[in-house]
Amino acid sequence: MIDHAAIQTRIESAARACGRACSSVQLVAVSKTQPDEKIDAALRAGLRVFGENRVQEAQARWGKNHGADRRAMYADLVLHLIGPLQTNKVRDAVSVFDVIETVDRPKLVHALAAEMRAQKRALPCFIQVNTGDEAQKAGCSVADLPGLLALCRDQGLHITGLMCIPPVDADPVPHFQLLHDLAGRYGLPNLSMGMSADFETAIAYGATHVRVGSALFGVRG
Ligand SMILES: *Cc1c(COP(=O)(O)O)cnc(C)c1O
């Protein structure tokens, strides 16, 4: 049902093909909108790193007080927020997630930093960069990135990398290349890029985290 081994093999061959260690690429299994049976099958298959794009859905699936307590069953779970974050959801996001990939504006930096202090949970974060300059897409502009990084440092928000979602139907390569160059310029070790259709290409451009949904779980309902 879940072809974890096949995806993991493809990740490892892509890493090897460009001379990278297999362990340098982390699969983030994108479980949004997938039925619980598939999530539980993935957990039984050994997957522990998951991505969700909505705070409420993540709480329902992974939160402490909701149904099956998957956190208690699998202590080594790591949950990534990969969708846009509203400031009124920051408290819930900091309590349910372990990594926030979508930091993209000053207001959110202030809210996250304050909430992490309040909850004593210093989560590693990524800054999402709107590499395609798309009006409807979240992410900070390339021009705003240095200022946002400085603010994060100032506020004590721990930024470990950059994340992007290239425009649909565009060649992703220039976007992966740009994100790679930006991470190098600002000394950030992690790059979250590549999805079902292009994760092998992303690995060739240095992805450390690939976010794979449909290729792993099947098309979302
Ligand atoms: C849904 C989603 C993915 C996974 O997409 P697939 O094409 O199903 O692999 C990756 N990243 C983000 C931000 C998403 O919202």
Side-chain angles (χ1 to χ4, degrees):
M1 189 163 74
I2 307 293
D3 213 349
H4 171 208
I7 298 295
Q8 194 58 45
T9 301
R10 285 173 60 189
I11 289 174
E12 288 172 12
S13 332
R16 232 179 272 113
C18 55
R20 299 180 53 194
C22 298
S23 59
S24 67
V25 185
Q26 174 65 55
L27 169 62
V28 178
V30 177
S31 46
K32 66 183 187 195
T33 76
Q34 296 289 354
D36 280 349
E37 306 87 80
K38 291 195 180 183
I39 306 311
D40 289 322
L43 286 161
R44 283 192 300 272
L47 282 171
R48 291 295 181 269
V49 182
F50 291 86
E52 293 278 356
N53 68 338
R54 288 170 188 273
V55 177
Q56 257 146 346
E57 195 187 336
Q59 279 182 305
R61 175 164 284 154
W62 305 99
K64 272 201 185 74
N65 303 317
H66 298 79
D69 192 348
R70 298 188 174 87
R71 284 276 184 186
M73 292 170 69
Y74 301 96
D76 51 347
L77 269 180
V78 181
L79 270 192
H80 288 233
L81 174 63
I82 61 171
L85 178 56
Q86 253 66 63
T87 45
N88 64 356
K89 301 266 173 60
V90 159
R91 180 180 299 173
D92 291 337
V94 168
S95 86
V96 76
F97 287 100
D98 304 292
V99 179
I100 309 286
E101 293 203 16
T102 50
V103 177
D104 66 351
R105 60 198 189 278
K107 191 178 172 199
L108 183 58
V109 171
H110 287 287
L112 279 169
E115 191 56 39
M116 287 184 198
R117 280 194 297 274
Q119 293 189 32
K120 298 189 167 57
R121 273 174 67 75
L123 309 185
C125 299
F126 291 64
I127 289 181
Q128 180 178 354
V129 183
N130 187 356
T131 56
D133 254 328
E134 294 172 279
Q136 81 289 2
K137 195 165 276 176
C140 85
S141 68
V142 171
D144 288 343
L145 179 59
L148 196 63
L149 272 166
L151 177 66
C152 291
R153 258 196 306 276
D154 200 54
Q155 291 290 308
L157 206 63
H158 184 212
I159 302 296
T160 69
L162 301 176
M163 176 269 212
C164 75
I165 310 171
V168 186
D169 299 329
D171 176 3
V173 163
H175 301 274
F176 295 159
Q177 180 76 62
L178 173 59
L179 206 69
H180 172 271
D181 292 349
L182 291 169
R185 185 179 312 161
Y186 298 110
L188 298 166
N190 291 324
L191 279 174
S192 173
M193 55 189 198
M195 313 198 289
S196 290
D198 53 22
F199 66 88
E200 285 141 317
T201 307
I203 289 169
Y205 287 85
T208 60
H209 294 72
V210 292
R211 309 179 307 266
V212 181
S214 43
L216 192 58
F217 294 108
V219 174
R220 284 178 287 276

